[in-house]
Amino acid sequence: MLLIQRQICQVGIILHIHQQHFKIDQLLVHQQIELLEVLTGFETNNKYEIKNSLGQRVYFAAEDNDFCTRNCCGPARPFTMKILDNMGREVMTLSRPLRCSSCCCPCCLQEIEIQAPPGIPVGYVSQTWHPCLPKFTIQNEKREDVLKISGPCIVCSCCSDVDFEIKSLDEQAVVGKISKHWSGFIREAFTDSDNFGIQFPLDLDVKMKAVMMGACFLIVSLFLLILVIDG
């Protein structure tokens, strides 16, 4: 009986995800400022609002991690990110294991798994080794390459946005982008709160749209790591 109820719940979540993503070609990811983190300097679990192009909240994302991992590993920490809908149901789970972030260790680069609904993998985002550029590969649930992501050589930009282009497998066509939005000097200098935007084709498979969200959160975490190193 419990198994049947769980299956019905999963079907409902899948339909909800399909309805939410079917007519969406842009998402905005807004990180919430944690007052405790600002005052004490201790890293807290990150929380995000995910909105559509009209500014309506469609999801809420919450990091699930422990105090020691957050404050010992910092932005390089592994995490589980739970994506909740407006009814508080967990519709997606993002899982990032502990990996190396250095180009000197190409055998253990960054990766994130996207499950939608939780427990059912729909895709992966894997960092691709490159000596200068931040590059990633979007994969489906079968680990087949679908798209590429390429960022700029210098990802720190004052007073302007930073774009990571979503490209076809041959990298000849740009089909979307993940952008880190400039949010003002005070906010950029004294907090690690970020705003990101995701743009993708309207007719992109809904599973891949979910994977794009995972790619955004992986880039968010790596972008913070680069800021810490450069700072």
Side-chain angles (χ1 to χ4, degrees):
M1 185 64 179
L2 290 176
L3 179 60
I4 294 175
Q5 290 177 341
R6 183 181 178 185
Q7 290 174 338
I8 292 174
C9 181
Q10 287 182 339
V11 171
I13 291 175
I14 291 172
L15 290 174
H16 173 82
I17 294 171
H18 188 276
Q19 291 170 352
Q20 289 281 15
H21 288 179
F22 184 68
K23 296 182 178 181
I24 288 179
D25 61 356
Q26 181 178 2
L27 288 170
L28 305 175
V29 179
H30 170 67
Q31 183 177 354
Q32 297 184 343
I33 297 177
E34 297 293 332
L35 184 60
L36 179 63
E37 184 174 331
V38 175
L39 295 176
T40 65
F42 288 113
E43 188 74 23
T44 60
N45 278 327
N46 292 325
K47 298 179 178 65
Y48 305 85
E49 284 189 319
I50 303 171
K51 302 177 181 180
N52 60 23
S53 57
L54 299 177
Q56 301 167 326
R57 192 176 89 172
V58 291
Y59 294 118
F60 178 80
E63 181 185 2
D64 185 11
N65 216 324
D66 61 81
F67 179 86
C68 291
T69 302
R70 289 195 307 271
N71 290 280
C72 291
C73 299
R77 63 184 180 262
F79 62 72
T80 297
M81 189 77 68
K82 297 181 179 180
I83 311 294
L84 312 175
D85 64 12
N86 288 326
M87 298 178 62
R89 297 181 301 178
E90 185 178 348
V91 295
M92 280 182 273
T93 301
L94 314 178
S95 180
R96 176 196 179 192
L98 181 62
R99 292 293 184 91
C100 181
S101 59
S102 172
C103 65
C104 298
C105 300
C107 61
C108 194
L109 295 177
Q110 295 293 320
E111 184 177 87
I112 193 167
E113 179 187 70
I114 297 86
Q115 301 174 4
I120 301 179
V122 295
Y124 303 84
V125 183
S126 300
Q127 186 179 8
T128 304
W129 185 86
H130 193 280
C132 302
L133 301 176
K135 298 175 78 70
F136 306 89
T137 300
I138 302 292
Q139 299 175 321
N140 61 20
E141 68 274 17
K142 298 179 181 179
R143 290 279 189 173
E144 298 169 338
D145 295 351
V146 178
L147 294 168
K148 299 282 188 177
I149 297 177
S150 181
C153 181
I154 300 176
V155 297
C156 296
S157 179
C158 182
C159 303
S160 63
D161 296 345
V162 178
D163 294 333
F164 294 78
E165 294 181 333
I166 304 170
K167 300 180 178 180
S168 57
L169 279 180
D170 59 8
E171 300 193 41
Q172 297 302 308
V174 177
V175 299
K177 65 180 179 178
I178 297 174
S179 303
K180 195 277 180 185
H181 299 310
W182 170 257
S183 55
F185 175 78
I186 298 297
R187 187 165 181 171
E188 295 281 346
F190 296 103
T191 74
D192 62 3
S193 176
D194 284 300
N195 295 312
F196 277 76
I198 314 170
Q199 296 179 21
F200 38 65
L202 187 64
D203 59 352
L204 184 68
D205 182 77
V206 291
K207 291 182 180 179
M208 288 298 102
K209 291 182 180 181
V211 176
M212 290 301 172
M213 290 177 57
C216 181
F217 282 108
L218 180 59
I219 290 173
V220 167
S221 59
L222 291 176
F223 193 88
L224 291 177
L225 177 60
I226 293 170
L227 285 179
V228 171
I229 293 174
D230 287 348

